[in-house]
Amino acid sequence: MRLELDPNPTPQKTFLTYSVFLLLAFLLLGMLFLAYGVSPLKAYALLLSPLTDPLGLAEIARRTIPLLLIGAGLALAFRVGFFNIGAEGQLLLGAVGAAYAALFLPVGPWTLPLMFLLGGGLGAIWAGLAAWLRVRFGASEILTTLMQNYLAYYLVVYLVAGPWKGQLVFGFLYTDRFPQAAQLPRLGDTLVHWPTLLLGVAAALILHLLLFRTPLGFAWRVQGENPLAARYLGLPGGRLLLLTALFSGLLSGFAGVGEVAGIHLRLLEPAQISLGYGFTAILAAWLARGRPLLVLLTAPLLGLILAGGDALKLSLSMPFRVVDVVSGLLLLVLIGAEALSRHRILWRR
């Protein structure tokens, strides 16, 4: 028995493989819940409970916004062959840029656009630096973007504990509250900052059109699928990668602006700004299979898992990291399903 590459699996085979692996994931999660002394059926019901009331739906939408923005950019980056693992740091740099514009620049009707300009620009520069290191020196963007996350993390800690710490803050690490002109509008009494949600939907649509309906998109796809062919055709591989990184970092920076201007209304410690959105969005991009438009489906799915995880933690007093276990297990089984669906088993020698 041996495995052989199957480059063109049938839809039936792909569906069956994914179904089997997802069933395996639910069985493993059920064993985890049983080990914790919780009925799996009750736990699954709580995971889906945000779908049953308006407040839960609002929580799903709130979690979807950063996943949609970051996931669309990552779907493009992965498709082109730029493996950006630093979206978490790019989100934090976006929050820094937004906070600077809100707190230290003159306030007016231009404040919110300027926050997105500075926040998105810092995120793009942060990702572009990793792309430049890869193009110029051959440095692995997986390592550089991962290390950049730590640099961004401690930069935010330094700012909120030092020069940007609020004047009337005692014992807490955060800045003064943003002025009214620097706050994004929300839907009613929820935390859903709708301008950023619309921006995420528009970004997914625009990137999908760029990728599949323009000459630039054709060059991107050739670069991602066969870099040797791209070089043979004379395509500027370095510039294509750099442009991809800039787009990806820009959208991650926008996500950071949305979190501080739409929810927290100040710059805080990194763990309070982002609940690991930069890493969870990797799963959203993976599920989208390199198609930014499909992130419109995968981001809300992961938003449901995050919101349902909160319900598990509050109702059953489960550990804080139970959501990470669910997301990590889903990622593992999806990687396994993807690998197996693209191979076939030969029983002969």
Side-chain angles (χ1 to χ4, degrees), residues 98-116 177-185 257-266:
Y100 179 81
L103 297 172
F104 303 110
L105 295 181
V107 178
W110 57 82
T111 299
L112 277 173
L114 188 58
M115 290 169 70
F116 276 98
R177 187 180 176 90
F178 291 173
Q180 186 66 38
Q183 299 177 17
L184 285 167
V257 176
E259 291 303 296
V260 294
I263 296 178
H264 305 292
L265 309 182
R266 51 168 54 93

Side-chain angles (χ1 to χ4, degrees), residues 18 68 70-83 203-213 216-218 220-222 224-225 244 281-299 334 338 342:
Y18 273 82
L68 177 56
I70 301 171
L74 291 182
L76 172 67
F78 294 165
R79 183 66 178 256
V80 181
F82 182 76
F83 299 102
L205 291 172
I206 291 171
L207 288 184
H208 194 84
L209 290 175
L210 278 176
L211 189 58
F212 294 102
R213 293 291 185 270
L216 173 61
F218 173 75
W220 268 338
R221 284 182 282 127
V222 173
E225 294 171 12
T244 302
I282 294 174
L283 181 54
W286 176 273
L287 287 171
R289 301 170 71 93
R291 295 177 176 270
L293 192 62
L294 289 184
V295 179
L296 292 173
L297 300 177
T298 61
L334 290 170
E338 176 72 11
R342 294 190 174 275

Side-chain angles (χ1 to χ4, degrees), residues 20-73:
V20 170
F21 272 78
L22 285 174
L23 178 61
L24 176 63
F26 283 116
L27 288 174
L28 292 174
L29 284 174
M31 293 173 61
L32 172 67
F33 294 138
L34 283 174
Y36 196 74
V38 176
S39 167
L41 293 179
K42 181 179 180 180
Y44 293 144
L46 284 171
L47 271 175
L48 299 176
S49 62
L51 294 171
T52 61
D53 66 276
L55 181 59
L57 292 173
E59 279 299 298
I60 295 173
R62 177 173 78 91
R63 305 302 182 85
T64 296
I65 293 171
L67 296 177
L68 177 56
L69 281 164
I70 301 171

